[in-house]
Amino acid sequence: MSLTFTPETEKILQDIWSRYPEGRKRSAVIPMLMYAQDQLGVVTSELVAEVAKRCEVSPLQVEEVVGYYSMLNKKRMGKHHVQVCTNIACLLMGGEALWHHATKRLGIGHKEVTADGLISLEEVECAGACSWAPCVVDGYEYHHHVTIEKLDQLIDSIQKVH
Amino acid sequence: MFNEPHPDEVRIISKRFGLPNSASIDTYLAHEGYVALMKAIEMSPEQIIDELKLSNLRGRGGAGFPTGLKWSFIPRDNPKPKYVVVNADESEPGTCKDRLLIQNDPHQLIEGCIIAARTIGCKKGYIYIRGEYRYLIDIMDKALAEAYAHGYLGKNIKGSGLDFDLYTHTGAGAYECGEESALLESLEGKRGVPRIRPPFPAVSGLYASPTVLNNVETFCTVPAVLRMGGQAYADIGTPKNGGTRMLCVSGHVNRPGVYEVPLGFPMQKMIYETCGGILNGKKLKGVIPGGSSSPVLKADECDFPMDYDNYARMKTMAGSGGMMVMDEDTDIVKVALRTMRFYAHESCGWCIPCREGTSWLRKILTRMDEGTGRRADIDLIHELAKNMLGRTFCPLGDAAAMPTIGFIEKFREEFEARLRETTMLATTPDQLISIN
């Protein structure tokens, strides 16, 4: 099965490719995977092969990268990937309670997806929002000073739209 | 972004934060933007390095290495291309300052990079931004496009004959990639595992070429140093500790936030005045002063001028500037466990003392927290952590061991109390035997 990207993604991938010197295109592997995953929702073996071809490396060299980085997923995550930080600064401000609440309300655990594929959860390491803790990140969108009520509102709003 | 300027602050690199459209090039140009670059173009590389040395600017990422000295290590006669790399992989728990610097003032970072390129004779640079910070990558890409459109990037910058291209590069989720050599591996498209040093990046960095690699805040400070002059910048801080730092205060204080204060600012004042004291009028238990890798300080130790040398005197470190404040009710065993869960998750697995050490420490701390700890565990944790020190390629092993040793040495009574609770809860002789 051949892989097609939207024109927007294709433009980004070509731009990424152009940033690195001749003979150093392997550098584009991680950024290409990240932006392609945004469109596809998951890293497939077709994507691995495509990135390997474009960056002039073997598929295995791409696979070993996919296996290392926590944001590259071979399992499809939810349409909304909700990440709850429980690292020290968030822990001090109630991050753990948020995590437990989210897992209980949605009935899923770490890196699991709701049956309808709408929401996935991940307990993440420090997201860089320590002074505005606790924080929850929905996709790439940061939410600060999150309370149980605010988290419920976020989940409600995701469920209402879809 | 979130806190209003405080009278205790000396805003040098954060002075444009509150301005309307502070991230745009028009705002930047209206407020001394790219003035330092025009100055740098008239200066020789040696003069730029001399100003940086005079400024006593030390790296703001964690290690605190003098920036001027670092740049002077780039070999001029090396025929290979040279590179500028920005470490924007901010992921040290407790740290959230680079986010603000990129979000509110991306051109300041770009200007710092161009000055670095001018100094070492480099044509390409990369800003390595952690994958989670996608919205910042978008802000940065927009700022880069503006800089190209205004002739500050690309060919023959402002008629100086200088060519320089600068790009963003996204990470994909790995704390280890904040370590300079692992960052370079990752930038080359590989797993983020550290390299043995020497050679250091100044000699053999990106693509085995001479590379200047600094933290976001360090690059952001460079334009200010050239604008003010190295001596004037140095005069703001304490001897050998030039200028200001972005301190990220989090945890149990009334006004958490990121504050730019002169080096040597008193910690006591920071907690009780700038940040408005401890939440709910509680007492202070301790502070993790420079990100999760720095050893904890007890309440009675939190009264010293915060500069690199005084942190060292307190047997901790300035680190990344992430100050996590803990009130009297904080469960230190839980904090120690959460810290170790982090390091065990983020250990790249390259060096055995770190890979095995962190996961065993996580297991032992877990059973201690869950109430199935054993009498010998406290010393076992201490001993195991000590054996990790200095035995790994990169500082992640030390970063996991140092705070753990600190928690045990400073708060041993809390670990003992947890064991006593466990003993009281034991209901059968078997359980007691397993505890003792």
Side-chain angles (χ1 to χ4, degrees):
Chain A
M1 198 177 77
S2 77
L3 196 57
T4 44
F5 297 110
T6 61
E8 295 78 36
T9 307
E10 186 56 48
K11 191 165 165 271
I12 293 170
L13 296 186
Q14 287 183 15
D15 181 48
I16 288 170
W17 191 87
S18 72
R19 295 175 192 178
Y20 308 96
E22 275 307 312
R24 307 289 187 187
K25 299 301 183 189
R26 187 175 180 177
S27 282
V29 168
I30 296 164
M32 274 194 182
L33 287 169
M34 283 287 283
Y35 282 86
Q37 179 181 255
D38 285 344
Q39 186 206 309
L40 304 172
V42 64
V43 176
T44 59
S45 46
E46 289 84 13
L47 175 60
V48 167
E50 180 65 23
V51 169
K53 197 173 82 189
R54 293 191 186 204
C55 300
E56 297 150 28
V57 294
S58 73
L60 187 64
Q61 286 171 316
V62 178
E63 286 284 1
E64 65 176 30
V65 162
V66 176
Y68 181 86
Y69 295 93
S70 67
M71 292 179 77
L72 297 172
N73 289 310
K74 295 200 79 172
K75 177 182 160 189
R76 187 176 289 276
M77 288 293 123
K79 212 166 167 185
H80 286 262
H81 188 50
V82 176
Q83 303 140 71
V84 182
C85 176
T86 60
N87 207 302
I88 311 170
C90 283
L91 175 84
L92 294 174
M93 302 305 286
E96 264 195 343
L98 292 178
W99 171 247
H100 291 312
H101 181 76
T103 54
K104 216 169 141 189
R105 169 162 175 187
L106 295 168
I108 53 172
H110 177 66
K111 287 219 172 188
E112 289 179 355
V113 193
T114 52
D116 56 4
L118 186 59
I119 302 175
S120 51
L121 279 181
E122 185 177 357
E123 184 186 9
V124 289
E125 298 300 350
C126 185
C130 314
S131 294
W132 317 289
C135 101
V136 170
V137 187
D138 170 18
Y140 292 115
E141 195 185 319
Y142 277 75
H143 296 263
H144 299 113
H145 300 298
V146 180
T147 56
I148 301 250
E149 292 73 42
K150 280 194 191 171
L151 179 60
D152 274 335
Q153 283 165 14
L154 173 69
I155 296 173
D156 288 344
S157 70
I158 293 170
Q159 288 173 336
K160 204 181 287 170
V161 174
H162 295 278
Chain B
M1 155 162 74
F2 296 97
N3 54 290
E4 290 294 310
H6 191 278
D8 290 341
E9 286 188 88
V10 176
R11 290 200 163 200
I12 291 177
I13 58 171
S14 60
K15 69 173 185 173
R16 281 175 290 262
F17 276 18
L19 298 172
N21 296 320
S22 67
S24 78
I25 196 165
D26 293 334
T27 305
Y28 192 63
L29 286 170
H31 294 85
E32 297 186 289
Y34 293 109
V35 167
L37 171 65
M38 301 320 287
K39 222 170 154 179
I41 287 170
E42 302 298 319
M43 294 163 79
S44 72
E46 289 75 18
Q47 284 172 320
I48 298 172
I49 287 173
D50 285 345
E51 284 301 322
L52 285 173
K53 284 183 176 167
L54 199 60
S55 75
N56 285 332
L57 171 62
R58 293 168 65 165
R60 304 296 194 229
F65 195 81
T67 306
L69 194 60
K70 198 180 207 179
W71 290 18
S72 74
F73 292 153
I74 299 285
R76 297 286 165 71
D77 49 358
N78 193 316
K80 287 183 174 174
K82 296 168 187 68
Y83 294 99
V84 165
V85 177
V86 182
N87 185 344
D89 192 53
E90 177 167 76
S91 30
E92 173 78 10
T95 320
C96 47
K97 65 187 172 65
D98 297 343
R99 230 182 115 183
L100 298 191
L101 286 166
I102 294 176
Q103 178 170 330
N104 294 304
D105 204 350
H107 284 283
Q108 180 171 239
L109 175 59
I110 296 172
E111 186 176 7
C113 294
I114 309 169
I115 294 169
R118 155 82 186 114
T119 310
I120 65 165
C122 141
K123 299 204 182 317
K124 258 189 200 319
Y126 297 96
I127 306 172
Y128 185 108
I129 306 182
R130 69 180 292 189
E132 292 86 345
Y133 285 178
R134 173 63 65 80
Y135 82 102
L136 294 180
I137 297 177
D138 297 341
I139 290 171
M140 202 68 224
D141 282 340
K142 199 175 155 219
L144 288 169
E146 284 181 326
Y148 273 103
H150 282 74
Y152 289 105
L153 284 172
K155 295 246 175 283
N156 193 19
I157 292 171
K158 293 288 162 191
S160 65
L162 178 69
D163 302 340
F164 183 56
D165 288 312
L166 186 61
Y167 309 96
T168 54
H169 179 104
T170 179
Y175 168 71
E176 174 60 9
C177 293
E179 191 280 325
E180 61 173 14
S181 70
L183 183 148
L184 292 169
E185 285 288 298
S186 180
L187 186 46
E188 292 181 8
K190 302 173 208 162
R191 294 166 77 93
V193 295
R195 299 171 177 172
I196 193 119
R197 278 145 291 171
F200 289 94
V203 177
S204 179
L206 183 62
Y207 311 132
S209 302
T211 303
V212 153
L213 204 171
N214 282 110
N215 175 255
V216 170
E217 189 183 345
T218 314
F219 279 115
C220 286
T221 306
V222 169
V225 167
L226 291 197
R227 226 170 37 233
M228 301 167 67
Q231 190 57 52
Y233 184 79
D235 290 343
I236 298 169
T238 52
K240 290 192 205 153
N241 294 268
T244 59
R245 270 207 85 163
M246 304 282 281
L247 283 183
C248 326
V249 189
S250 62
H252 301 138
V253 288
N254 283 311
R255 281 194 299 274
V258 180
Y259 299 94
E260 183 175 4
V261 291
L263 279 166
F265 194 83
M267 185 181 269
Q268 193 81 3
K269 192 173 176 194
M270 189 76 199
I271 298 171
Y272 290 100
E273 293 178 30
T274 316
C275 294
I278 309 299
L279 267 180
N280 305 318
K282 292 221 168 108
K283 287 201 188 87
L284 177 68
K285 177 174 268 183
V287 173
I288 300 168
S292 64
S293 307
S294 62
V296 65
L297 295 168
K298 291 184 87 157
D300 59 5
E301 298 172 307
C302 297
D303 190 12
F304 64 94
M306 294 186 284
D307 61 26
Y308 293 90
D309 300 322
N310 275 300
Y311 281 104
R313 189 175 58 79
M314 298 305 292
K315 297 194 168 46
T316 184
M317 57 185 201
S320 56
M323 256 177 84
M324 293 178 279
V325 180
M326 300 180 289
D327 73 13
E328 55 188 323
D329 296 335
T330 307
D331 180 344
I332 292 291
V333 178
K334 215 171 209 24
V335 172
L337 167 63
R338 187 62 188 88
T339 307
M340 193 48 64
R341 274 181 56 206
F342 168 70
Y343 288 107
H345 181 259
E346 299 298 337
S347 172
C348 77
W350 189 249
C351 311
I352 296 162
C354 172
R355 184 187 69 206
E356 294 300 307
T358 52
S359 45
W360 277 105
L361 284 170
R362 174 176 53 82
K363 286 175 198 167
I364 301 166
L365 283 161
T366 301
R367 74 178 176 220
M368 184 149 261
D369 182 52
E370 286 174 349
T372 51
R374 298 167 194 171
R375 189 68 61 208
D377 279 352
I378 300 175
D379 289 326
L380 182 61
I381 294 167
H382 193 236
E383 187 68 17
L384 217 163
K386 277 193 153 173
N387 269 308
M388 290 162 65
L389 289 176
R391 293 195 164 88
T392 48
F393 272 42
C394 90
L396 198 147
D398 287 355
M402 287 185 306
T404 308
I405 295 167
F407 287 128
I408 296 277
E409 290 182 352
K410 300 271 171 74
F411 293 100
R412 194 182 173 97
E413 69 282 0
E414 294 216 10
F415 290 84
E416 283 171 349
R418 185 64 62 92
L419 280 178
R420 273 198 303 277
E421 285 164 26
T422 312
T423 315
M424 285 162 72
L425 286 169
T427 49
T428 67
D430 278 0
Q431 279 175 311
L432 272 172
I433 289 161
S434 76
I435 291 159
N436 293 300

